Amino acid sequence: MVDQETLDITFAALADPTRRAMLARLSEGEATVSDLAKPLSMSLAGASKHIQVLERAGLVSRRRDGRQHFLALEARRLRKAHAWLQHYAAFWTQALDALEDALKEDTHD
């Protein structure tokens, strides 16, 4: 199981639609801060603040080439969050199966 602090940081970073859009873009490959800011119509400073949150959460890594900063998706933390959610999938499945059975019984009466 994943530690609670890691989950808190990860889900807090994922809670913002701008950051999720940035991660979606990074799932296609490396990007610069400008690449991430442009489609979101935001300033570089605004984009940088979101990127810092993603970096602190371990969802994004940065490499520098001269003056340019390239960002990449780090899926390790996403896998940990997925594993945590998956732990509860059995419960959801059981609950939905029970609901389906109850509805079938109700329609047969």
Side-chain angles (χ1 to χ4, degrees):
M1 192 60 82
V2 181
D3 70 89
Q4 193 62 45
E5 184 177 353
T6 298
L7 282 174
D8 291 347
I9 292 168
T10 301
F11 285 125
L14 294 173
D16 186 276
T18 298
R19 291 192 285 270
R20 290 193 306 270
M22 289 177 165
L23 291 176
R25 167 54 187 87
L26 291 173
S27 71
E28 299 168 6
E30 275 189 339
T32 64
V33 175
S34 297
D35 294 335
L36 295 177
K38 188 175 182 176
L40 300 169
S41 299
M42 65 183 345
S43 68
L44 294 179
S48 291
K49 288 181 181 181
H50 284 288
I51 292 165
Q52 287 172 0
V53 172
L54 293 170
E55 285 179 310
R56 280 194 301 273
L59 297 170
V60 170
S61 63
R62 180 187 304 251
R63 77 173 175 84
R64 292 179 177 90
D65 186 6
R67 295 185 67 187
Q68 282 211 302
H69 294 231
F70 294 91
L71 302 157
L73 177 65
E74 292 294 330
R76 209 170 48 255
R77 285 280 172 93
L78 289 175
R79 283 193 296 271
K80 289 180 180 182
H82 179 263
W84 183 84
L85 290 169
Q86 198 64 29
H87 176 76
Y88 295 95
F91 168 77
W92 299 329
T93 301
Q94 289 173 350
L96 290 173
D97 287 347
L99 177 60
E100 181 182 23
D101 291 344
L103 291 172
K104 284 179 181 176
E105 286 179 19
D106 194 42
T107 58
H108 291 301
D109 291 338

